[in-house]
Amino acid sequence: MMKRALWEGLLAGTAGVLVMTLGEKAEQRLTGRPDSHVPARTLERLTGAPERPGRQPRPVNLAMHVGQGALLGVLRSVMAHAGLRGPWSSAQFAVVRLTNDQILENATGVGAPPQTWPRSELVVDLLHKAVYAFATGAVADALAARQGPGPGQRHAALRPGGRPDVGPPPRGRSHALCDDEGHTR
């Protein structure tokens, strides 16, 4: 599963970055907001590369923007393969995406905590990261679904309806081998 999740995740994450970037460019045309070079500055500091204030490091910006999104897509793919699929899981993943950005940007001193940002910038960032998370999730879920339900989905199918009295299926057994109480047949 992990090898499949890796490649599918890189694909899903890259697709999510593409959708997010298209949305960002459309938003920038409407609002006049300039490009952010925070991703480039963050990557420069993480790698120890020289910073050149006043220069627009577009290739470095693109490398961080796409690379970070593609790599995080692997996590969303692992979620999908485990059975964590759909909008709820994509919403959970949006929090991970935002957290990842903030850890890297704040640890390097490039960014400041979101609660200190102007509200308009915060809303725009949250919106774009949500677009990334849901687009990445849609692709990861579709790719993982080709393998059938994940372990979590098989467990949930034992007794639908969010019931508290359902234990996990026996190790190594399909849910089809269990009765309504989760006991082996």
Side-chain angles (χ1 to χ4, degrees):
M1 173 186 94
M2 292 309 285
K3 188 174 182 180
R4 180 180 302 275
L6 172 68
W7 293 109
E8 289 177 0
L10 291 172
L11 179 65
T14 301
V17 168
L18 178 62
V19 172
M20 178 178 69
T21 302
L22 291 173
E24 286 172 336
K25 294 305 174 190
E27 173 265 320
Q28 287 175 312
R29 282 194 181 122
L30 289 172
T31 65
R33 185 177 64 85
D35 285 340
S36 168
H37 295 285
V38 169
R41 299 293 181 230
T42 302
L43 184 57
E44 288 169 342
R45 290 200 181 170
L46 286 170
T47 61
E51 295 179 49
R52 297 188 178 99
R55 271 188 70 197
Q56 303 300 335
R58 290 176 202 251
V60 179
N61 215 46
L62 186 61
M64 182 64 164
H65 193 65
V66 174
Q68 187 177 18
L71 288 174
L72 282 173
V74 175
L75 176 61
R76 185 59 181 86
S77 179
V78 169
M79 291 172 67
H81 278 276
L84 298 168
R85 299 179 189 161
W88 182 262
S89 296
S90 290
Q92 291 175 317
F93 181 63
V95 174
V96 172
R97 177 65 167 98
L98 289 159
T99 302
N100 179 75
D101 274 5
Q102 291 310 304
I103 289 170
L104 295 176
E105 292 169 10
N106 281 269
T108 58
V110 172
Q115 63 269 25
T116 67
W117 300 3
R119 291 297 165 241
S120 60
E121 286 184 33
L122 182 58
V123 168
V124 167
D125 193 55
L126 292 173
L127 175 67
H128 291 309
K129 295 309 185 321
V131 166
Y132 162 81
F134 281 84
T136 300
V139 174
D141 290 349
L143 293 171
R146 299 179 310 162
Q147 302 299 308
Q153 291 167 311
R154 290 192 298 271
H155 181 174
L158 289 174
R159 296 217 31 213
R163 301 171 62 102
D165 59 339
V166 179
R171 185 176 283 171
R173 303 279 180 134
S174 166
H175 73 282
L177 299 176
C178 299
D179 63 19
D180 286 342
E181 271 72 47
H183 300 108
T184 305
R185 291 186 205 159

